[in-house]
Each structure stands twice: as C-alpha cells, then as structure tokens.
Amino acid sequence: MNTELKNDLKTVPMYIGGEFTTGAGSVLMDIINPANGEVLAQVPQATRQDMQSAIRAARTAFDSGEWRQATGIQRATVLFKIAAALRAKASELAELETLNMGKPLFESEYDLGDAATCFEYFGGWATKIYGEVNPVPDNAVSMSMKEPVGVCGLIVPWNYPLLMAAWKLAPALAAGCTMVLKPAETTPLSVLELAKILDGIEELPKGVVNIVTGLGEEVGAELAENHQVDKVAFTGSTEVGRLIMKAAADSNLKKVSLELGGKSPNIFFEDCDFEAGVENALFACFVNQGEVCSAGSRILVQKSIYEKFVTAMVEKCKTIQVGPGMNPENKLGALVSEEHLNRVMEYIAKGKAEGAQLVFGGERLGGDLAKGFFVSPAIFAQVNNQMTIAREEIFGPVAAVIPFEDEAEAIAIANDTPYGLAGAVWTRDIFKAMRVSKAVRAGIFWVNHMQPTYCEAPWGGYKQSGTGRELGKYGVENFLETKQLHINLNEGPMGWY
Ligand code: NAD
C-alpha cells in the first residue's frame, strides 16, 4: 500500500552518495509487521531518477579509483569494521528483522551472526585476490590480473533481508567494486540500519555503497537496464531473473549472476537414520516458514517406510508452535505478507483439488493470530511429482511427500523438475549416497543433512535455479574481471614485414 507523505510515522531514508535522503519523489511505502498487520515504518518509494542518482554516485566513486585502488588491507579493514558493528548491534538488528519479516527471533539472531561472518570471511579475501602467470611459449611474460568488475546492482529478496544483502555486499566490497543495493519492497528496514553502520566507517568512501528502496519493476528494472551499471547480482524468483537477463542483454550486456528459485528433493531411503531423518524432513522444509530457496519441499520417501515416516512427521509437526516471531516459544513465524499468504493458501487448495492428501495443517490461523499472516505447516501425502504442489515453488511451509520404489525411481523423480538448486539424500550406505549425489543435477547437495550453509562453500543452482555461484572463492570471482597482460621481452622489430 502506498500513501502520500505522512508525518505520524517513522520515515526511514535511503542512502545515496553518502547522504540519507527520501529522494525526489513524494510517495512512501508502508512497511508492515506481518505478525499483526500493523505499519512499522515508512520508506521512500524511489523514482527512476533516484535510482539514476545512486548509480551516478556509484559510478563516480568507482571512476575516482579511491576504493578500487585502496590496498587489500584497507578494504579488509572496512569489512572487519562492518562485521564488528553488526555483532555489536546484533540483538537490535535481529529484532528489527523479525518485526519486519516475521521469522522467529532465534532465526534472525542466526542470520545476524551469519551476516557478520560473511563480512569477516570476505574481509579475508580482500588481501588474497591474486592473479596468475600464464606459461606462454614466447619470450614474454603473460599474466592474468584480477580487477573489480565496476558498478554493481545488487538486487535481493525478502526471505533473509540482511543476510542476502551481506552475501553480495561483502564480496563486492572485497573485490573493490562500488554498488547500489535494492532491498525487497517488503523488508528494507535492516539494510537501512546497515546504511548507518556504513556511514560511520570513515575509511569507506562516500558513494561506494548506495541503498535505494522502491518497486522492483521500477527501480530494480532501472538497475538492470542502466548502461552505467557493469554487473547485476540478483537473488529472487526465476521469473524476475529471466527479466533481468533480458534487460541486461538489451542494454549494455552487463554481467549477470542469478540465484533463483528451487523445488529441491530431500530423499529418504529405508536404511536412513529414521529419527534424524524425520526431524530434518520437517526442518529443511519449514525453517524460515518454508520461505527458503533451498527448501526441501519435495520429500521423497521409499515405499517400504513411507507410512511410518509420514505418521512420524505428523506427530513431530504437532510440536511446532506457530506464532509471532518475538515469542521465543514459536518455531514458525508469520509469512512475509498477506499477498504471499494468499498465494500459499491457493497452492494448498490446489494440492487438495488435485488429489493429494492433506494429513496435517495447511490452515490460516485465526483467533489471536488473525491479524497476522500465519499458516499452520502443511504436510501433503500421496503426492505424485506431476501435481502442481510438486512442480512449482510455493515458498511457504508446505511439504509434498512423494513415495518411490527404488534408487532409480528416486533419481528420476528428483531430476524431473525445471529447477536444480539443491537436494539431499539420507542413507547409511555410502556407495548409494555417492551414486545419488552424483546423479541429481543440483548445485548444492547434502548427505544425511539438509540446509547447513557456509560462506566458505559455493552456493548456486543448475538449470533454471540460476547462473553463477556465490560464496567461497566463487563469491569474490563474481565481482572480478580477468585482464590478460602480455609483456614482450624481445627488443627490436619482430621481422614480420
Ligand atoms: P522476486 O523475484 O519477486 O523479487 C526479488 C527482488 O527483485 C526484489 O528486490 C524485487 O523488488 C526485485 N524485482 C522485482 N521485479 C523486478 C524487475 N522487473 N527488475 C528488477 N528487479 C525486480 O523474489 P522474492 O519474492 O522477493 O523472493 C523469493 C524468491 O527468491 C524465491 O523464488 C526464492 O527461491 C528466491 N531466492 C533464491 C535464493 C538463492 O540463493 N538461489 C535465495 C533466496 C531467495
């Protein structure tokens, strides 16, 4: 909902060229607490002109050379300072994340720790960006040098607002890039707090990081289309990823990396650790309200243990308390918005209509929770892989439990999807685990676990789950160009003519 400028609510400004500003427009966006539907704050709905100012600020900061030519130690120092400030403000920021996004507070606290670690990890990379010497045969030295890619557009989703921003800001800063970050419409508050941290670090030149709030189809699209932008790093839906790639192709062929959606299989064989498996089937699908790109939303269970497994899932699921994230007893919070809740409810209705058996949950919660956007976690049994709830990313707490006969069928079902982000297999047979791990076409694969994520290890998808990788050494590569430099060691003409 948009409203004209009001004075009775806290207006949180954007950050452009080292200034806090509400931009050129007069429209503000209400930022809602999904646990009770109340307006938490307002942020500017930036115009395309605001975005162009931010891009100009980033361009000027890049071209001045101050940041890209800073030493690795100088850049590392800034990243470590950001990490320290995040740790110092962790509880305040975690509360803000929960109030804005809906997830349980203890999950926001994890996210804050992970975001700080991400800045520390890439702070380490800032001093370790090396080139190579290429073994060319002539009397010459050939080198590959690494240089920052330039001005970057960083577009992030709402499910891990600060953490997804950290995954992009930290490596881009380490590489020496300048950037404009665009948070999701619904969840800008934690990154706008981060702007205050950045502003307080005097070694970070103005204009290196800019943060612009607004609509994806306006200011997000401007970032993807603008000729002054050298690269867009995007995390979000496959649908919008496609638009970004098109916009990049139709403008200046800027570099694009995409972290997109998924419909990931979590595969349980009859020889799995049953108790741990049941718990993880729920955790990997319902953590963060299921609003996770790598959610194990297709739970493939071998027929010989299927009934027992589903029954155990239902029993365990009864212990998951749903409610406001600020209450420490709640393990599942509100969905991010009413619009998203309605979309999830439509998928649940479709699951029932297509003949899947809803064996637990799947109801919008009323009573004290009626003003918030709460749904009880849903377990569908007897799902086949052609049903809509097994094919489309729901991005909510909806589990589709699919039976399979043997290893070959499990692999075939796992791969029968346009996505390829993640997957997992549960078995005590290491040979089977390795066969399945190699056969499933996905960018991240776990054995006897699902979801642990580390900034030291690569993250990204096969097929329509994206292109490029974040985190690990790939994270920093994402923001670097490679220049081949050839130094001729012969003197005099080469004698060609
Ligand atoms: P979304 O695609 O709707 O929006 C993501 C971002 O893109 C937002 O900031 C939005 O404002 C912006 N945007 C929207 N339209 C745009 C346009 N035309 N041009 C430029 N930017 C535009 O996604 P969402 O609903 O915010 O997030 C959920 C999606 O994100 C899910 O599909 C999920 O799987 C994906 N995701 C992927 C990963 C990963 O690592 N692969 C991680 C988290 C989330």
Side-chain angles (χ1 to χ4, degrees), residues 169-239:
L169 288 168
L173 284 168
C177 293
T178 62
M179 59 215 73
V180 182
L181 172 73
K182 198 210 88 61
E185 288 83 338
T186 42
T187 56
L189 297 183
S190 54
V191 298
L192 291 174
E193 275 301 307
L194 175 66
K196 295 184 195 160
I197 292 177
L198 300 175
D199 194 61
I201 299 176
E202 60 183 281
E203 298 90 334
L204 183 65
K206 304 295 173 207
V208 170
V209 182
N210 305 274
I211 302 180
V212 175
T213 52
L215 304 180
E217 60 269 31
E218 286 178 17
V219 291
E222 178 64 34
L223 260 183
E225 290 163 18
N226 195 292
H227 285 248
Q228 298 292 307
V229 176
D230 299 298
K231 151 138 196 151
V232 170
F234 171 79
T235 297
S237 60
T238 295
E239 189 191 351

Side-chain angles (χ1 to χ4, degrees), residues 155-160 164 167 182-186 214-224 234-241 243-244 258-262 291-294 340 343 393 395 419 421 459-461 465 470:
I155 305 178
V156 294
W158 45 258
N159 60 340
Y160 291 88
M164 289 296 105
W167 280 23
K182 198 210 88 61
E185 288 83 338
T186 42
L215 304 180
E217 60 269 31
E218 286 178 17
V219 291
E222 178 64 34
L223 260 183
F234 171 79
T235 297
S237 60
T238 295
E239 189 191 351
V240 175
L243 294 176
I244 296 212
L258 303 173
E259 297 287 346
L260 309 176
E291 296 165 322
V292 180
C293 53
S294 57
H340 185 56
R343 201 164 35 229
E393 185 184 44
F395 224 57
Y419 294 110
L421 185 60
W459 186 270
S465 288
E470 291 194 311

Side-chain angles (χ1 to χ4, degrees), residues 57-361:
R59 185 82 258 166
T60 305
F62 187 79
D63 293 344
S64 81
E66 199 183 345
W67 183 245
R68 74 187 146 97
Q69 287 162 6
T71 64
I73 295 276
Q74 286 168 330
R75 290 204 300 275
T77 304
V78 168
L79 276 102
F80 294 143
K81 283 193 175 184
I82 298 171
L86 284 175
R87 292 200 189 283
K89 289 181 88 172
S91 35
E92 186 190 322
L93 283 165
E95 276 192 18
L96 189 63
E97 198 79 311
T98 286
L99 289 172
N100 190 175
M101 188 276 170
K103 68 177 76 186
L105 185 57
F106 71 92
E107 289 194 30
S108 294
E109 285 163 355
Y110 275 121
D111 295 354
L112 254 294
D114 284 353
T117 304
C118 181
F119 281 99
E120 284 154 357
Y121 173 74
F122 285 107
W125 266 106
T127 50
K128 293 162 197 73
I129 297 171
Y130 293 103
E132 289 170 340
V133 177
N134 307 309
V136 295
D138 285 336
N139 187 26
V141 176
S142 171
M143 293 186 273
S144 297
M145 292 163 53
K146 296 290 178 184
E147 294 183 346
V149 70
V151 174
C152 300
L154 314 178
I155 305 178
V156 294
W158 45 258
N159 60 340
Y160 291 88
L162 190 65
L163 186 58
M164 289 296 105
W167 280 23
K168 298 192 192 311
L169 288 168
L173 284 168
C177 293
T178 62
M179 59 215 73
V180 182
L181 172 73
K182 198 210 88 61
E185 288 83 338
T186 42
T187 56
L189 297 183
S190 54
V191 298
L192 291 174
E193 275 301 307
L194 175 66
K196 295 184 195 160
I197 292 177
L198 300 175
D199 194 61
I201 299 176
E202 60 183 281
E203 298 90 334
L204 183 65
K206 304 295 173 207
V208 170
V209 182
N210 305 274
I211 302 180
V212 175
T213 52
L215 304 180
E217 60 269 31
E218 286 178 17
V219 291
E222 178 64 34
L223 260 183
E225 290 163 18
N226 195 292
H227 285 248
Q228 298 292 307
V229 176
D230 299 298
K231 151 138 196 151
V232 170
F234 171 79
T235 297
S237 60
T238 295
E239 189 191 351
V240 175
R242 220 182 284 281
L243 294 176
I244 296 212
M245 213 173 211
K246 271 194 195 138
D250 291 342
S251 55
N252 58 339
L253 270 181
K254 55 179 66 66
K255 314 281 181 276
V256 173
S257 54
L258 303 173
E259 297 287 346
L260 309 176
K263 194 74 197 176
S264 300
N266 197 0
I267 306 169
F268 296 89
F269 283 97
E270 61 189 4
D271 64 344
C272 69
D273 178 339
F274 190 87
E275 299 272 303
V278 168
E279 186 194 32
N280 182 267
L282 297 172
F283 168 78
C285 190
F286 297 155
V287 66
N288 207 48
Q289 298 75 241
E291 296 165 322
V292 180
C293 53
S294 57
S297 52
R298 288 188 300 148
I299 299 168
L300 278 51
V301 183
Q302 196 154 21
K303 279 182 183 157
S304 49
I305 57 164
Y306 187 86
E307 289 302 329
K308 193 175 155 207
F309 199 93
V310 172
T311 305
M313 276 179 74
V314 169
E315 280 314 301
K316 191 113 199 141
C317 206
K318 290 179 184 161
T319 68
I320 301 176
Q321 197 168 307
V322 185
M326 294 302 284
N327 175 347
E329 280 167 18
N330 294 329
K331 291 283 184 333
L332 210 139
L335 298 190
V336 72
S337 66
E338 186 146 42
E339 188 191 353
H340 185 56
L341 171 81
N342 291 338
R343 201 164 35 229
V344 170
M345 296 311 295
E346 277 170 29
Y347 274 114
I348 292 170
K350 239 181 223 169
K352 291 194 242 178
E354 290 180 14
Q357 283 175 19
L358 182 63
V359 291
F360 187 83

